Amino acid sequence: PFLHRAGVIRGLGQAVGVPTGDMPSFGKGIRGVRPRAFRRAFAQAQNPGVLHDVLPCKVPTLLVTGQREMGDMHAANAALAAYMPQARARVAPGLGHGWIATRPDLHSRMVRAWLQDQPLPDELQPERAHWHQTRAGRRIAASAAELGLSRPTT
């Protein structure tokens, strides 16, 4: 399958920031994913209907992106945090999409602090993306408006 081709795996790995030395194990993991399951997961993540379930959520939610991720990821997290009453958006500086795999120490300290209601690690910076002018931000704002959620002031 296309998803299992070496060039595709290498491209995916580079896009999420997998270190060169970890590419063999990343490739093994990707080859274990059925292409149909990958396509379905990707399609679900793009489904605007999901926002109608997520936006009214009152559960404390932590949204974290790596600094080197695509701008839409930052914009989406900033917009979600603006509309979700208990959400916070943070950035892991200098890291990509796969930051959890490349910095498991930071991830574990973050999870521990979040679950124990303690301050998050200093490395995690507040998300400052200007989401209002982005496609991702406008899509989230439109869904929030459909749900009657008030527009954030920030």
Side-chain angles (χ1 to χ4, degrees):
F2 180 76
L3 176 64
H4 296 164
R5 291 183 181 174
V8 173
I9 291 171
R10 188 172 40 258
L12 286 171
Q14 290 170 346
V16 299
V18 174
T20 305
D22 294 339
M23 279 294 189
S25 62
F26 177 77
K28 184 178 179 183
I30 290 293
R31 284 185 187 93
V33 175
R34 291 184 180 164
R36 182 176 179 205
F38 185 87
R39 286 191 304 271
R40 286 177 43 201
F42 187 80
Q44 285 176 342
Q46 304 302 313
N47 180 356
V50 170
L51 292 172
H52 285 80
D53 295 330
V54 171
L55 287 172
C57 179
K58 292 182 175 45
V59 174
T61 305
L62 180 61
L63 306 158
V64 184
T65 53
Q67 181 182 16
R68 294 188 343 240
E69 288 195 56
M70 294 182 293
D72 271 357
M73 295 295 292
H74 293 276
N77 278 2
L80 287 169
Y83 281 104
M84 293 171 66
Q86 298 291 322
R88 290 194 286 171
R90 296 291 182 268
V91 176
L95 302 172
H97 184 72
W99 75 271
I100 291 172
T102 59
R103 285 291 310 276
D105 60 311
L106 176 58
H107 179 250
S108 104
R109 287 185 290 122
M110 176 194 72
V111 170
R112 188 176 313 110
W114 182 255
L115 293 176
Q116 294 175 351
D117 201 25
Q118 298 294 316
L120 294 171
D122 290 336
E123 297 100 313
L124 297 177
Q125 302 297 312
E127 177 62 77
R128 300 192 192 290
H130 300 285
W131 58 269
H132 300 85
Q133 294 86 26
T134 67
R135 186 180 70 190
R138 288 192 302 269
R139 185 177 66 186
I140 290 166
S143 292
E146 289 171 11
L147 293 167
L149 299 175
S150 61
R151 182 174 168 86
T153 56
T154 58

